[in-house]
Amino acid sequence: MSVVPYKDKEDPKKAQVAEMFNNISPKYDLLNHVLSLGIDIIWRKKAIKMLQKDQPKLILDIATGTGDFAIEALALNPDKIIGVDISEGMLEEGRKKMKKRKLDHIIDMQMGDSEGLLFEDNKFDAVIVSFGVRNFENLEKGLADMYRVLKPGGKTVILEFSKPKAFPMKQAYSFYSNTILPQIGKIVSKDNSAYTYLPESVQAFPDGEDFLAVLKKVGFHSTVCKPLTFGISSIYVGEK
Ligand SMILES: C[S@@+](CC[C@H](N)C(=O)[O-])C[C@H]1O[C@@H](n2cnc3c(N)ncnc32)[C@H](O)[C@@H]1O
């Protein structure tokens, strides 16, 4: 059974995830930075650095949300970044941000599903995702479609929560994510489930070598896992 945001609803995970992100979209950026004490910004920067040598010109940012990973990817000096997401609410927040920062000519935010991308094979120099893959309804299908649209020789860089393994961080993080985080999330976002779903979905999601095994299964090679901040997050890289 996959973990879904609203346990009392029968909708498929994808519809529930889109509904949840539509609900929390106005407060998403604020909650992200508050709940991670701003560390999420550093994690995104570190993940983008993994592409520094490649200097990709056309980048696809999957599950772009409000576009923060796409904005970090500007450090690579690309010609164009296309961000896709299944939540219109998140995209709308993102589009407002791009317009305000005068980035809408380079970052294009579109409705799109990672599990059925409307792009031709071998199109992008790099495909990136931050905090998105955990929400896919079908992880293998999503990663396989990312592989399909990536150019041979291109890289994927994926940033996702993982599970700290060592004492005392394991215990401290478990306490924080199961008690403090859902409370603050609930008060600020007004969505009762979103920030309970977050630790539950992290717990159920493959991390480290388990995630690399899925990347390899869909075709990626030269895979690497780089844990960040005691393993609270990890960067995964794979090549086509
Ligand atoms: C936690 S947010 C991450 C947003 C952004 N990448 C960031 O780092 O802040 C996860 C996003 O994944 C999107 N998402 C979930 N499943 C998706 C799918 N199958 N295809 C595209 N986007 C998806 C959600 O709508 C949501 O906006």
Side-chain angles (χ1 to χ4, degrees):
M1 253 299 274
S2 72
V3 175
V4 293
Y6 306 109
K7 295 183 192 77
D8 50 344
K9 294 192 180 173
E10 302 220 326
D11 299 340
K13 178 171 176 176
K14 197 176 298 185
Q16 293 203 24
V17 164
E19 180 185 345
M20 181 187 85
F21 282 103
N22 283 336
N23 286 345
I24 66 173
S25 56
K27 298 282 183 224
Y28 175 80
D29 284 354
L30 171 73
L31 273 168
N32 244 359
H33 306 330
V34 169
L35 292 172
S36 77
L37 307 172
I39 301 172
D40 64 306
I41 299 169
I42 299 168
W43 289 338
R44 286 194 195 83
K45 280 190 199 304
K46 283 204 168 155
I48 290 301
K49 278 210 175 116
M50 306 297 283
L51 288 168
Q52 210 162 30
K53 282 199 199 113
D54 305 82
Q55 292 287 304
K57 289 295 158 207
L58 182 62
I59 302 176
L60 178 63
D61 179 31
I62 303 260
T64 191
T66 59
D68 278 0
F69 205 33
I71 291 175
E72 286 305 337
L74 291 173
L76 301 167
N77 204 22
D79 294 335
K80 183 113 206 139
I81 302 173
I82 299 178
V84 294
D85 202 284
I86 53 168
S87 160
E88 188 50 42
M90 294 289 274
L91 286 168
E92 210 30 59
E93 290 297 320
R95 288 190 195 108
K96 277 192 254 171
K97 197 190 296 183
M98 300 313 159
K99 212 165 192 169
K100 204 165 153 192
R101 298 188 190 186
K102 299 195 172 32
L103 297 173
D104 46 341
H105 64 288
I106 183 160
I107 300 177
D108 183 14
M109 308 197 69
Q110 307 176 0
M111 193 60 146
D113 181 355
S114 66
E115 292 163 47
L117 294 164
L118 302 176
F119 302 108
E120 66 262 32
D121 298 356
N122 310 320
K123 182 177 171 77
F124 294 94
D125 299 310
V127 179
I128 61 176
V129 198
S130 68
F131 308 111
V133 289
R134 180 176 39 88
N135 300 295
F136 290 179
E137 187 165 275
N138 184 328
L139 176 64
E140 243 180 77
K141 201 172 166 196
L143 295 178
D145 219 29
M146 286 164 50
Y147 183 84
R148 179 184 67 77
V149 299
L150 187 62
K151 275 185 191 159
K155 274 187 194 150
T156 189
V157 171
I158 298 169
L159 175 63
E160 190 50 86
F161 288 113
S162 45
K163 292 160 270 198
K165 306 267 184 304
F167 175 86
M169 205 52 200
K170 181 179 172 185
Q171 287 70 15
Y173 180 67
S174 167
F175 174 75
Y176 173 75
S177 59
N178 290 310
T179 55
I180 298 170
L181 184 143
Q183 288 302 327
I184 300 176
K186 187 173 162 175
I187 294 165
V188 179
S189 76
K190 312 259 190 302
D191 185 298
N192 289 347
S193 305
Y195 289 84
T196 311
Y197 163 77
L198 197 160
E200 286 174 359
S201 60
V202 173
Q203 202 52 42
F205 194 71
D207 63 357
E209 284 301 321
D210 294 339
F211 187 80
L212 292 184
V214 191
L215 273 184
K216 285 180 214 159
K217 191 174 172 196
V218 302
F220 288 102
H221 66 86
S222 308
T223 57
V224 176
C225 168
K226 189 175 155 50
L228 304 171
T229 322
F230 309 105
I232 294 175
S233 280
S234 295
I235 299 170
Y236 303 97
V237 184
E239 261 182 68
K240 180 167 176 180

